[in-house]
Amino acid sequence: AKEKMSWWQDAKLGLFVHWGPYCLYGGVYNGYKQRRGGAEWIMNRCKIPVREYRAKATTFNPVHFNADSLVLMARNAGMKYIVFTTKHHDGFAMFQSEASPFNIVDYTSFHRDIVDEVVQACRRYQMKIGFYYSQSQDWCNAGGSTARKRMNEGWDNPDSVEIDEYTRVHGGAWDCLQYTVSFEDYFYRVALPQIRELLSRYGKDLGVIFFDTPQNITDKQAQDIMDELAKYPHIIVNDRLKRPNFPGDYKTPEGRVPAAKDVDGVYWETCMNIGSSWGYKSWEKNWKSSQEIIRNLITIAARGGNYLLNVGPDAMGNVPTQARHCLDELGDWLGRNGEA
Ligand code: JFZ
């Protein structure tokens, strides 16, 4: 067993937070409900032009956000770590960055460094912190990858027939601003420098890095990230940096509880929504009951895994009431049933 995994294996339960300017749409674009995929994908699903999405992002002003209450919410639910989206596929950094002006401090009038506030609050409450970072997909920084995979599904923007055609012949990109430089350029000018920024600021505190959707990245680029991480040997890395040569430290079956025989003897974590979307969805109807969540936790723990439960704060910085309520009930149950 790897020594660095011991706190993680004991933790069992964590909070996933998907938060960025996509929450301003809440799963609705021009009055049209985005049908497929999580609401954090709205820019891609509805083919929102880069300039338009960026302009929307400048209005991000979540004045109700309070990192202490987020961390306390997790703690009261019995959670031992938080994995926070420092940059999702839209490319917006929730931290100040020299590598791209498209970040919460330099691009909005909010100006507060949200990642820094979350890390500081985690320090105050002995909560372990992990960072989600989209290393390959980046829809607003030039050269970032744009999800070639789902091209043939059709898009959720009813007005997008022309955009669809453009997308089809441009490898998933829907805006000429996405193609002005190469992926190589994006990777070494934005992704790797931002990872360095996060590590140099918080490497000591960091428990986990959660990479995602490894398309486009080369083995050389993945290795360059691993070389940075080698300076912080205590940091745990998931299995989504680059397949198949970078298996990371644990497996991430998503949205489901795997069969016991499939996860025997491996480190694993299931991430799951309380609703049906990772990012905030204003018209969410499918909230899971706390009973379902508790049953999942028990099964996951019995099979030796971790449970990473997700919430998506809204434009003001509030966690939806239904999610909050579910976490309250989870914490109550753990309190009554032996959580130390
Ligand atoms: C990715 C993201 O695209 C999504 O927005 C969210 O952040 C989620 C946690 O991760 O989506 C995935 C990634 C992997 C799988 C499915 C969806 N998978 O392995 O089945």
Side-chain angles (χ1 to χ4, degrees):
K2 297 184 198 159
E3 199 188 310
K4 72 173 176 183
M5 299 304 289
S6 89
W7 73 264
W8 189 85
Q9 190 137 58
D10 287 344
K12 310 260 188 280
L13 182 60
L15 181 72
F16 209 175
V17 181
H18 274 72
W19 198 30
Y22 40 81
C23 74
L24 295 165
Y25 294 93
V28 181
Y29 178 60
N30 286 344
Y32 185 83
K33 284 178 186 165
Q34 175 204 347
R35 284 169 302 130
R36 295 194 190 81
E40 74 286 357
W41 271 75
I42 194 155
M43 181 184 177
N44 179 302
R45 299 303 324 176
C46 296
K47 296 291 168 280
I48 302 173
V50 170
R51 277 202 185 83
E52 185 180 332
Y53 192 87
R54 283 190 188 153
K56 184 89 163 180
T58 62
T59 71
F60 192 23
N61 193 24
V63 290
H64 293 170
F65 177 66
N66 182 307
D68 288 82
S69 28
L70 185 77
V71 174
L72 286 172
M73 181 189 75
R75 194 168 80 159
N76 292 336
M79 292 163 157
K80 301 295 198 275
Y81 62 112
I82 295 179
V83 178
F84 190 88
T85 47
T86 58
K87 189 198 82 170
H88 204 266
H89 307 329
D90 62 354
F92 185 84
M94 296 289 274
F95 55 98
Q96 198 282 323
S97 174
E98 300 302 322
S100 168
F102 193 49
N103 70 70
I104 185 74
V105 175
D106 299 320
Y107 217 77
T108 72
S109 48
F110 189 57
H111 292 309
R112 283 160 51 187
D113 188 320
I114 289 177
V115 169
D116 192 67
E117 291 183 15
V118 171
V119 174
Q120 304 289 351
C122 284
R123 283 186 189 140
R124 282 194 280 281
Y125 301 106
Q126 284 89 48
M127 180 68 68
K128 278 274 189 185
I129 179 72
F131 288 163
Y132 171 109
Y133 185 87
S134 178
Q135 77 278 22
S136 170
Q137 283 202 75
D138 189 315
W139 306 325
C140 280
N141 285 300
S145 161
T146 48
R148 185 181 288 269
K149 243 184 358 192
R150 304 186 189 200
M151 272 173 57
N152 299 320
E153 275 180 24
W155 308 109
D156 284 336
N157 180 345
D159 307 321
S160 74
V161 179
E162 274 172 45
I163 310 175
D164 285 1
E165 180 52 19
Y166 184 93
T167 303
R168 204 177 58 73
V169 297
H170 290 87
W174 60 92
D175 186 317
C176 57
L177 291 178
Q178 291 165 327
Y179 255 4
T180 53
V181 301
S182 67
F183 180 78
E184 178 89 355
D185 209 272
Y186 155 77
F187 184 82
Y188 290 105
R189 283 177 198 234
V190 179
L192 192 59
Q194 287 193 332
I195 290 166
R196 284 203 192 99
E197 287 176 334
L198 290 170
L199 288 174
S200 68
R201 290 174 206 170
Y202 309 113
K204 271 200 309 157
D205 306 75
L206 260 188
V208 177
I209 295 200
F210 192 117
F211 293 111
D212 207 3
T213 65
Q215 76 239 32
N216 278 30
I217 204 169
T218 63
D219 277 11
K220 162 81 169 68
Q221 290 158 353
Q223 189 57 52
D224 286 341
I225 291 179
M226 290 309 288
D227 290 347
E228 289 300 322
L229 282 167
K231 300 169 192 163
Y232 309 88
H234 58 280
I235 297 178
I236 298 166
V237 185
N238 74 342
D239 61 347
R240 297 185 189 178
L241 173 58
K242 159 82 184 168
R243 294 187 167 118
N245 294 332
F246 296 82
D249 298 305
Y250 65 98
K251 296 208 167 307
T252 55
E254 179 165 310
R256 69 197 161 84
V257 181
K261 64 172 170 46
D262 295 334
V263 286
D264 195 30
V266 304
Y267 295 107
W268 63 280
E269 174 189 76
T270 283
C271 54
M272 203 184 278
N273 289 301
I274 300 177
S276 68
S277 170
W278 302 101
Y280 172 71
K281 180 171 160 182
S282 57
W283 50 288
E284 181 66 76
K285 292 182 194 78
N286 296 313
W287 294 104
K288 293 181 183 70
S289 67
S290 55
Q291 285 90 327
E292 185 178 347
I293 301 281
I294 291 162
R295 273 198 304 273
N296 286 336
L297 173 63
I298 293 167
T299 311
I300 288 168
R303 293 176 190 174
N306 279 8
Y307 197 16
L308 188 63
L309 260 181
N310 181 72
V311 299
D314 67 15
M316 287 291 107
N318 295 316
V319 172
T321 316
Q322 294 90 335
R324 206 168 252 290
H325 185 68
C326 178
L327 294 182
D328 282 347
E329 292 189 347
L330 175 58
D332 286 349
W333 186 88
L334 285 169
R336 279 183 275 115
N337 292 283
E339 163 70 1

